[in-house]
Amino acid sequence: MSTRKKISTGIAICLVLLSSIMLGCIEQGTQNSRQTLTIGYGKDTNVASPKMMDFMPEMMVLERLIEYKDGEVLPSLATSWDIQDNSKTIVFHFKKDIKFSDGSPFTAEDVKFTFDRLKALKYYHWTEVDRIKSVEVIDPHTIAFHYEDGKEGYIALTAFGEYHCSIMSPVSVEPKGDVKEKIVNPIGTGPWKVDEYVKDQYTIFVRNEIYHGEKPKLDKIIVKVIPDAETRVLALRSGDVDMIVDYYHGGSSYTPRNLLEPLKSEGFNVIKNEMPMTTIIKFNYKKEPWNDVRVRKAVNYAIEKDEVSALFDNWVNPARHGLYSEQGPSIKEVKVEAYTNDINKAKTLLKNAGYEELKADLVLQGENPDEVKLCELIQAQLKKIGIQVKLSVLEGGAYSERRNKGDYDLMVYYIGGPERRSYTRTDGRFNPNAPEFGYGAYDDPELSDVLEKAVSSFDGKERQEEFKQFYQLLHEKAGVVPLYYDAVFIVADKKVKGIKYVSSEPCFSGVWIE
Amino acid sequence: MKKYITKRLLLLIPIMLGASVLSFSILYIAPGDPAELMLERQLQGAPTKEQIDAFKEEHGLNDPIPIQFARWLYKILRGDLGTSLRTEEPVLKEYLNRFPASLVLFLLSQIISITIAIPLGIISAVKHNSKVDHFSRFMAMFGASMPNFWLGLLLILFFAVYLDWLPAFGYGGITHIILPAIALGVSGCASIMRLMRASLLEVLHLDYIRTARAKGLCEKLIIVKHALKNALIPVVTVIGLHISHLISSMVIVEAIFAWPGVGRFLIESIHARDFPVIQGFVLIIAMFFVFANLIVDISYTYLDPRIRYEMERIK
Amino acid sequence: MRLKIVQQLKKDKMAVIGVIIILILAFLAIFAPYLSLYDPMEVNMENRLLTPSEKHPLGTDQLGRDLLSRIVYGTRVSIAAATMATLMIMIFGVTIGAIAGYFGGVVDQAIMRVVDVLLAFPSLILTIAIAGILGPSLMNLIIAMTATGWVGYSRIIRGSVLSVKEKEFIEAARAMGCGNLYIIARHIIPNVISPVIVIATIDMGHTILSITGLSFLGLGAQPPTPEWGAMLNDGKSFMTTAPHLMIFPGLMIMVVVLAFNFLGDGLRDALDPRLRQVMMK
């Protein structure tokens, strides 16, 4: 053997060894003890974060002052609250003897820290937190929020149920208590605590043994990050994970709807949770011809909503009762009208408005393949009434530029969100005075007037009445085209029991493995 | 030899400078306001005008472009490639976190390419114009024409979904790397195999091989001992050229197999318009590529006495 | 020289097969409207995700569109895009290379330094970055491919121009007072273009792979355009439930690329050694 050959053989052997060593290092043993649940999730839990965590750990590790569930504000860390000073001040009274998972007592100072941090980081977009003038600790179990003039009322109260208003101990950040600093290890009062975290790979949660409520049955939850939806499904099939969970927060990542039926027939448990979140078509309603209510109505009549839900194998419901599904504010109580497919009516309306043919630029983001297919379907449906739709599938930056410049005709958009957000989101989409309105869906002075009253009143009956008017007005003005009611899904192995959704979020406390 | 290497290294300086200008300018060909988009991702909602302004201020996006470039370059020279807007981690750290995964995949697919291609090339050349030759040439052509993203999907479909033999995605044990490495390795086979065959054929017609044959040496011995050594030399260059192709293919293959490597992170960052990451990664990949080529060139000159001689004569 | 290549090619069975396939595909592309049974864009939600049958020989996709018709139309898109990209790359590469070679000096130095820098990048990585940042569309993809692809041609042309430029007929043209541009366009480029055309043909397979690959990543053709890479991307979510959606478009890509590679290989073998040398550089 020549020297050169020896060298090359040597190199080859080294390469093989090197690669097997590297593989050895990255192999992570995951021994499933009996009460461990492994979840496949589309993104990192972000538990060590400069600003905010993902909603999943927020829901598991932290708690909020109140919860907003089934259309009602419910006590959580706060047992009661008073609205004072012409609803410019909200005072919360806390439960006593609650401890953080590290054993330290929960007090009003921790609440103050949480909100001071939100303000310091300017992390309060689209909620009413930015209108908080000051936070006043009255005693260790009482805190007062003082609001600036203007927007206060019921909507401000519901905002305390928002994810990012979850209460965190000051030791969660480093240096401790510094309101501008990174979260290093979130310490909360919730049923779980973070045990181990490897960014973009996995997070291990363990039961908080000193939780003040009913303790979870599981010992441990491993959340594995699998960004690609199809790979998540494959992971479930191969038993790598016990459960895959959709999220809709900060972008969305869903189990492909067309795989739900096959998964169900393979024996997996498919759990659906419909939300007060509706996918809509948004008009460029200030621009011709979309400023004409007849044209907007024509589009509403042109859409065949059953075909839309057929696109998702009927796993989502078509928007048959208007803006929101039953989880939306006051929807259960009031009857809301909706448009049904009628090509002739649509054509007549369009003709009356003076258009035989129309061209429309439908702008969409290409990230979500379902949305792309939806737009192709809309394109085909609108063609039937003589509207030629051009699809512009844009990448994030170009998309927001077109949106901001108002350089589009139609856009697929969504309103609402998780239930706890339904007030702020509705306000943000339809009221130009709302902080979020830069991304509104439709506005009209009459409409925003009604809405402003609807979200402010502390009186349930009054709210219901105002919302009824709001929905009716929106229908008359055909402000948007509601397409379908969004839902999130959990697909789990049969052996996983006790899965349920509380409000719009999955709750793992009652889960056990058979 | 030393002079040659020094010269090559010096030549790298202007190239690296040019490469950094190019990487930097990526930010400025983009439509839309990167600050706004990044904020929207970060905040999971719409940023306000003040937030956008504060962000621009914080990241120095309001300064004139040459100043931004100078600052960027200065930082890079000190090993600071900036911070990912998406993860808020240093870009270099993000790269290094993902590099091992990509390297393992790179090496393994390269090994697969070579172990399939070289024996096939030798057989093809030795049994020139036989059925075996035709068949392996056809297979090589087939491999070169197979889109690796399609091959990847087919591999998942058969080995992971239907047969359930191997995991379809992700990062973990040895089994996880097999499918992506095959998807990546196959397309590389063709060019290596073809060159191996061609260069061995050429060598087999040279005088000294004829002499060896005339001397009555056994054919196997001739091939192994005399011909192969020389025929392998051009193959080394092709493996070098192949690196460019391989790095590019890795982006696609990593995306399909959810392989947590550099390529997938780059694609995610492109979709998220995480400019510091795009700029930094493109630059590092270019650097890696330049050095890989340099090493191939140097080993080539080292391996091939003819070139060494040429070089000495030029001096 | 051209005749010789054609004669050589005729002897090469694989090259002939390649040419036949390409001709068939060109026929499909041109007569797509007459050859497909359905409108490739026609949505029919009642017929979604059908498996291949008599009515729909290759089945239907998730919007009930006929897959065969989409694939036939896809031939148009893919071949047109690849040809367009190749042409743009050629035009840019040849022009820039000719300018560098003809003028020499500082111009040449400057251009060649840019070439060196671009060659220092794995080209597809840069293409992906540029295409992604410009925003996904087939046109932007072609622009990105042109921005990174011209360098190879420039190098070859520059070399050829350098060898042609001192020839007598150029001197004669210059003596007659012809302008630089005229000389480049009229005398130099026609003389050095053949290797470029050959190389472009050889590269065609690779170009198609890049376009479909980037479209697969969502950086190229956009819906509802029936482009094979984008169709494959659509189909991948139906891998388990409707595998035909991902098998047929992939197969088409492979057949086209294979045909161009057969032809390219034949061309390579048929080339005279001089040309081969040019290419090796």
Side-chain angles (χ1 to χ4, degrees):
Chain A
M1 220 191 217
S2 72
T3 340
R4 218 175 285 153
K5 207 152 185 204
K6 266 183 206 155
I7 292 171
S8 46
T9 323
I11 290 173
I13 292 171
C14 285
L15 287 183
V16 175
L17 279 179
L18 191 66
S19 41
S20 46
I21 289 168
M22 280 177 158
L23 276 174
C25 293
I26 57 195
E27 217 165 343
Q28 13 142 335
T30 42
Q31 319 106 322
N32 280 19
S33 76
R34 266 184 58 84
Q35 287 306 316
T36 298
L37 175 73
T38 310
I39 298 176
Y41 193 53
K43 67 171 170 181
D44 187 42
T45 57
N46 219 14
V47 295
S49 145
K51 291 207 166 103
M52 281 296 139
M53 300 185 272
D54 178 56
F55 92 96
M56 178 129 98
E58 272 170 353
M59 299 307 296
M60 290 168 73
V61 176
L62 311 182
E63 289 178 299
R64 288 136 296 280
L65 295 179
I66 52 122
E67 288 290 318
Y68 183 76
K69 199 178 111 189
D70 301 328
E72 266 182 275
V73 176
L74 302 173
S76 179
L77 285 173
T79 45
S80 63
W81 48 89
D82 320 309
I83 314 298
Q84 299 170 355
D85 190 17
N86 213 1
S87 57
K88 261 195 241 163
T89 299
I90 304 179
V91 179
F92 289 100
H93 307 279
F94 306 142
K95 276 188 204 167
K96 285 175 190 157
D97 304 326
I98 292 182
K99 285 193 165 66
F100 280 111
S101 60
D102 64 351
S104 58
F106 159 76
T107 68
E109 289 296 340
D110 304 307
V111 179
K112 186 168 169 18
F113 164 76
T114 300
F115 285 90
D116 284 349
R117 186 168 179 274
L118 289 177
K119 293 209 81 148
L121 295 175
K122 299 200 162 133
Y123 197 93
Y124 43 63
H125 59 287
W126 84 44
T127 70
E128 303 309 321
V129 179
D130 64 325
R131 315 243 182 195
I132 296 174
K133 195 164 71 186
S134 60
V135 185
E136 183 196 347
V137 177
I138 295 174
D139 66 54
H141 302 291
T142 318
I143 200 160
F145 290 88
H146 301 292
Y147 283 83
E148 283 167 18
D149 264 331
K151 196 76 173 210
E152 52 270 334
Y154 193 66
I155 186 173
L157 179 65
T158 62
F160 285 98
E162 262 285 7
Y163 306 109
H164 61 279
C165 296
S166 304
I167 309 302
M168 188 167 51
S169 160
V171 300
S172 310
V173 300
E174 220 175 85
K176 178 191 163 196
D178 188 330
V179 292
K180 286 212 153 170
E181 276 311 319
K182 272 186 168 188
I183 303 173
V184 283
N185 182 21
I187 302 290
T189 55
W192 303 94
K193 56 185 186 181
V194 178
D195 185 44
E196 199 184 329
Y197 169 61
V198 179
K199 193 173 177 55
D200 288 330
Q201 292 198 28
Y202 62 90
T203 314
I204 299 175
F205 295 95
V206 292
R207 183 167 54 206
N208 173 9
E209 299 293 353
I210 53 170
Y211 181 51
H212 59 95
E214 195 192 326
K215 285 187 197 71
K217 294 181 175 133
L218 293 167
D219 299 297
K220 199 192 244 185
I221 292 182
I222 302 170
V223 178
K224 279 194 184 178
V225 184
I226 310 172
D228 183 66
E230 277 111 35
T231 22
R232 258 195 326 273
V233 171
L234 289 168
L236 179 70
R237 284 194 168 122
S238 69
D240 259 10
V241 300
D242 305 315
M243 172 194 278
I244 51 179
V245 178
D246 289 354
Y247 71 84
Y248 46 82
H249 183 60
S252 57
S253 181
Y254 293 154
T255 302
R257 304 308 194 219
N258 66 293
L259 291 179
L260 292 172
E261 205 58 63
L263 282 168
K264 200 177 164 189
S265 62
E266 284 163 37
F268 289 100
N269 209 350
V270 180
I271 299 132
K272 175 182 170 179
N273 184 45
E274 194 167 75
M275 290 193 301
M277 178 161 152
T278 308
T279 301
I280 59 161
I281 300 175
K282 175 191 169 180
F283 297 103
N284 194 349
Y285 55 91
K286 298 219 160 123
K287 193 176 127 184
E288 245 184 286
W290 317 106
N291 55 359
D292 190 327
V293 64
R294 288 169 295 189
V295 176
R296 294 200 300 265
K297 272 188 186 163
V299 176
N300 264 291
Y301 279 121
I303 296 296
E304 169 68 280
K305 290 171 192 162
D306 289 340
E307 280 191 2
V308 172
S309 59
L311 187 64
F312 302 104
D313 283 349
N314 296 312
W315 280 98
V316 293
N317 288 320
R320 281 210 198 84
H321 33 274
L323 199 61
Y324 283 127
S325 69
E326 286 199 338
Q327 284 71 24
S330 306
I331 290 278
K332 268 183 212 151
E333 293 82 17
V334 302
K335 199 181 165 313
V336 184
E337 275 183 272
Y339 293 93
T340 47
N341 182 237
D342 190 331
I343 302 282
N344 289 330
K345 254 190 201 163
K347 278 185 175 164
T348 320
L349 278 162
L350 215 52
K351 213 174 186 174
N352 292 345
Y355 302 99
E356 283 287 332
E357 280 227 330
L358 259 181
K359 282 202 165 67
D361 196 354
L362 174 59
V363 175
L364 69 146
Q365 263 177 304
E367 279 162 36
N368 181 352
D370 280 349
E371 192 176 308
V372 179
K373 288 294 141 245
L374 175 65
C375 291
E376 288 181 64
L377 179 61
I378 293 169
Q379 185 184 40
Q381 291 185 349
L382 292 184
K383 201 176 162 192
K384 288 183 190 155
I385 65 160
I387 299 181
Q388 299 295 335
V389 177
K390 185 184 144 232
L391 299 186
S392 303
V393 188
L394 298 176
E395 203 272 323
Y399 175 84
S400 23
E401 193 176 71
R402 290 277 288 272
R403 180 190 55 203
N404 297 350
K405 274 204 230 145
D407 183 12
Y408 65 93
D409 292 308
L410 306 172
M411 191 178 256
V412 167
Y413 202 35
Y414 68 100
I415 48 164
E419 198 190 353
R420 62 188 68 237
R421 189 171 286 171
S422 46
Y423 277 79
T424 47
R425 239 325 144 56
T426 311
D427 193 42
R429 290 292 192 254
F430 296 102
N431 180 2
N433 301 322
E436 197 197 351
F437 193 74
Y439 303 88
Y442 178 75
D443 81 295
D444 178 280
E446 214 181 333
L447 195 72
S448 40
D449 246 26
V450 178
L451 181 59
E452 214 155 295
K453 281 184 212 142
V455 297
S456 307
S457 173
F458 280 96
D459 182 287
K461 271 266 172 303
E462 249 176 70
R463 279 202 304 273
Q464 220 178 81
E465 219 22 68
E466 303 287 354
F467 261 110
K468 187 177 177 180
Q469 268 192 54
F470 165 72
Y471 293 133
Q472 188 55 39
L473 261 173
L474 188 66
H475 176 77
E476 278 165 24
K477 293 174 190 290
V480 296
V481 187
L483 296 171
Y484 66 88
Y485 303 133
D486 223 325
V488 281
F489 293 87
I490 288 178
V491 187
D493 197 288
K494 269 263 148 60
K495 68 178 187 209
V496 184
K497 302 286 179 191
I499 307 164
K500 64 173 181 187
Y501 274 94
V502 174
S503 182
S504 298
E505 288 76 27
C507 172
F508 304 115
S509 291
V511 174
W512 79 95
I513 292 176
E514 211 171 56
Chain B
M1 201 63 191
K2 258 186 198 158
K3 263 190 186 165
Y4 173 73
I5 295 174
T6 327
K7 206 182 137 202
R8 285 293 308 261
L9 280 173
L10 282 176
L11 270 176
L12 283 187
I13 295 172
I15 286 182
M16 291 325 297
L17 196 67
S20 56
V21 171
L22 207 61
S23 313
F24 177 76
S25 56
I26 283 173
L27 182 61
Y28 297 92
I29 58 170
D33 184 353
E36 189 194 332
L37 190 93
M38 292 317 309
L39 265 174
E40 200 178 318
R41 296 244 158 195
Q42 229 173 55
L43 303 176
Q44 301 171 346
T48 62
K49 183 95 184 44
E50 296 86 67
Q51 281 173 314
I52 295 173
D53 290 341
F55 183 85
K56 281 186 172 169
E57 198 58 45
E58 192 189 328
H59 291 86
L61 293 169
N62 287 325
D63 297 332
I65 290 169
I67 291 183
Q68 290 189 39
F69 176 67
R71 188 169 44 216
W72 188 70
L73 198 63
Y74 175 69
K75 277 188 180 165
I76 283 179
L77 291 174
R78 301 175 46 180
D80 176 8
L81 285 164
T83 311
S84 160
L85 299 172
R86 197 158 49 115
T87 62
E88 308 224 356
E89 296 280 354
V91 172
L92 192 62
K93 192 177 154 199
E94 293 287 4
Y95 188 89
L96 293 176
N97 277 344
R98 285 164 180 82
F99 184 67
S102 286
L103 187 66
V104 172
L105 185 58
F106 179 87
L107 293 177
L108 197 64
S109 64
Q110 197 66 285
I111 290 170
I112 289 177
S113 288
I114 293 170
T115 46
I116 297 177
I118 293 199
L120 265 186
I122 295 173
I123 293 168
S124 253
V126 173
K127 311 237 164 178
H128 183 46
N129 273 337
S130 69
K131 270 186 186 153
V132 185
D133 180 25
H134 288 308
F135 179 73
S136 50
R137 278 175 71 197
F138 182 77
M139 286 314 285
M141 200 65 128
F142 204 72
S145 308
M146 179 76 108
N148 51 23
F149 46 95
W150 190 49
L151 178 62
L153 292 176
L154 289 180
L155 289 172
I156 292 178
L157 186 62
F158 289 110
F159 291 102
V161 178
Y162 286 157
L163 297 174
D164 200 13
W165 286 354
L166 292 166
F169 75 93
Y171 198 51
I174 295 259
T175 47
H176 286 89
I177 201 174
I178 295 176
L179 294 183
I182 293 175
L184 206 53
V186 163
S187 61
C189 280
S191 50
I192 298 175
M193 180 255 162
R194 266 204 308 234
L195 202 84
M196 185 69 233
R197 174 179 175 275
S199 101
L200 189 57
L201 272 179
E202 207 171 302
V203 172
L204 285 176
H205 288 107
L206 290 178
D207 287 345
Y208 75 98
I209 299 289
R210 284 202 201 133
T211 319
R213 277 207 188 108
K215 271 187 180 162
L217 283 181
C218 138
E219 187 73 19
K220 257 186 203 159
L221 198 71
I222 293 174
I223 290 164
V224 173
K225 202 138 189 221
H226 299 284
L228 212 53
K229 217 159 65 183
N230 286 312
L232 269 172
I233 292 165
V235 176
V236 174
T237 357
V238 159
I239 293 173
L241 287 175
H242 190 60
I243 292 175
S244 161
H245 179 71
L246 199 61
I247 291 176
S248 306
S249 309
M250 280 181 79
V251 174
I252 296 178
V253 170
E254 286 186 1
I256 293 175
F257 288 95
W259 188 255
V262 170
R264 192 177 67 145
F265 194 72
L266 179 64
I267 281 286
E268 284 168 13
S269 304
I270 285 173
H271 282 302
R273 297 173 94 73
D274 190 346
F275 290 107
V277 173
I278 305 173
Q279 292 174 312
F281 274 40
V282 167
L283 186 64
I284 302 174
I285 291 170
M287 266 159 67
F288 178 80
F289 178 59
V290 166
F291 279 102
N293 270 338
L294 184 70
I295 290 166
V296 170
D297 279 3
I298 290 171
S299 56
Y300 183 47
T301 35
Y302 180 75
L303 278 175
D304 192 344
R306 279 169 299 181
I307 290 189
R308 215 160 44 193
Y309 171 71
E310 282 278 312
M311 271 174 31
E312 267 149 29
R313 216 182 45 174
I314 290 166
K315 270 186 245 155
Chain C
M1 188 194 98
R2 269 173 219 160
L3 261 179
K4 220 172 90 193
I5 290 181
V6 173
Q7 270 170 358
Q8 281 268 349
L9 272 183
K10 273 188 191 161
K11 278 190 227 152
D12 189 333
K13 256 191 239 157
M14 285 197 180
V16 172
I17 295 175
V19 172
I20 292 173
I21 296 176
I22 292 167
L23 287 177
I24 293 174
L25 289 167
F27 180 79
L28 280 183
I30 294 166
F31 296 102
Y34 307 100
L35 293 171
S36 41
L37 300 166
Y38 301 87
D39 177 352
M41 313 283 195
E42 194 185 279
V43 170
N44 187 339
M45 291 302 283
E46 273 155 34
N47 291 342
R48 57 194 303 264
L49 298 173
L50 297 181
T51 47
S53 66
E54 251 171 63
K55 266 183 91 184
H56 299 279
L58 298 184
T60 59
D61 72 0
Q62 64 268 53
L63 290 170
R65 296 175 297 203
D66 182 52
L67 194 63
L68 179 63
S69 308
R70 286 181 72 71
I71 282 184
V72 170
Y73 269 88
T75 318
R76 241 182 199 196
V77 179
S78 298
I79 291 189
T83 315
M84 173 101 169
T86 309
L87 275 178
M88 294 228 333
I89 293 172
M90 257 169 69
I91 291 168
F92 269 85
V94 168
T95 316
I96 296 173
I99 289 172
Y102 183 79
F103 290 105
V106 185
V107 179
D108 184 31
Q109 282 296 315
I111 291 175
M112 291 328 279
R113 289 297 79 76
V114 176
V115 168
D116 283 346
V117 169
L118 278 173
L119 284 175
F121 282 91
S123 60
L124 199 66
I125 293 279
L126 200 57
T127 312
I128 288 174
I130 296 175
I133 281 174
L134 287 178
S137 81
L138 206 48
M139 200 56 227
N140 284 345
L141 175 57
I142 292 173
I143 291 172
M145 288 178 74
T146 311
T148 56
W150 58 272
V151 282
Y153 291 87
S154 284
R155 274 190 142 193
I156 294 164
I157 283 290
R158 175 182 171 268
S160 312
V161 170
L162 280 178
S163 64
V164 169
K165 129 174 143 174
E166 305 305 330
K167 294 240 166 88
E168 278 155 26
F169 65 97
I170 304 286
E171 295 286 327
R174 211 174 281 147
M176 280 164 70
C178 298
N180 284 333
L181 267 180
Y182 182 83
I183 295 179
I184 292 180
R186 212 41 223 274
H187 297 291
I188 297 218
I189 290 181
N191 263 294
V192 295
I193 197 79
S194 344
V196 169
I197 291 173
V198 171
I199 293 162
T201 317
I202 294 172
D203 268 0
M204 199 63 174
H206 185 73
T207 308
I208 291 175
L209 276 184
S210 301
I211 290 178
T212 48
L214 267 73
S215 291
F216 174 77
L217 286 179
L219 295 173
Q222 294 302 314
T225 318
E227 198 276 342
W228 297 332
M231 283 163 74
L232 201 55
N233 188 23
D234 275 358
K236 80 171 199 287
S237 19
F238 296 86
M239 188 190 276
T240 43
T241 47
H244 61 276
L245 286 182
M246 124 193 173
I247 287 175
F248 293 120
L251 203 61
M252 279 310 277
I253 300 172
M254 202 188 73
V255 169
V256 177
V257 177
L258 199 60
F260 276 105
N261 282 351
F262 278 162
L263 175 61
D265 225 35
L267 274 176
R268 215 186 309 236
D269 290 344
L271 287 182
D272 59 332
R274 192 181 58 85
L275 212 52
R276 219 182 279 179
Q277 266 176 4
V278 172
M279 282 187 48
M280 288 303 268
K281 277 180 198 164

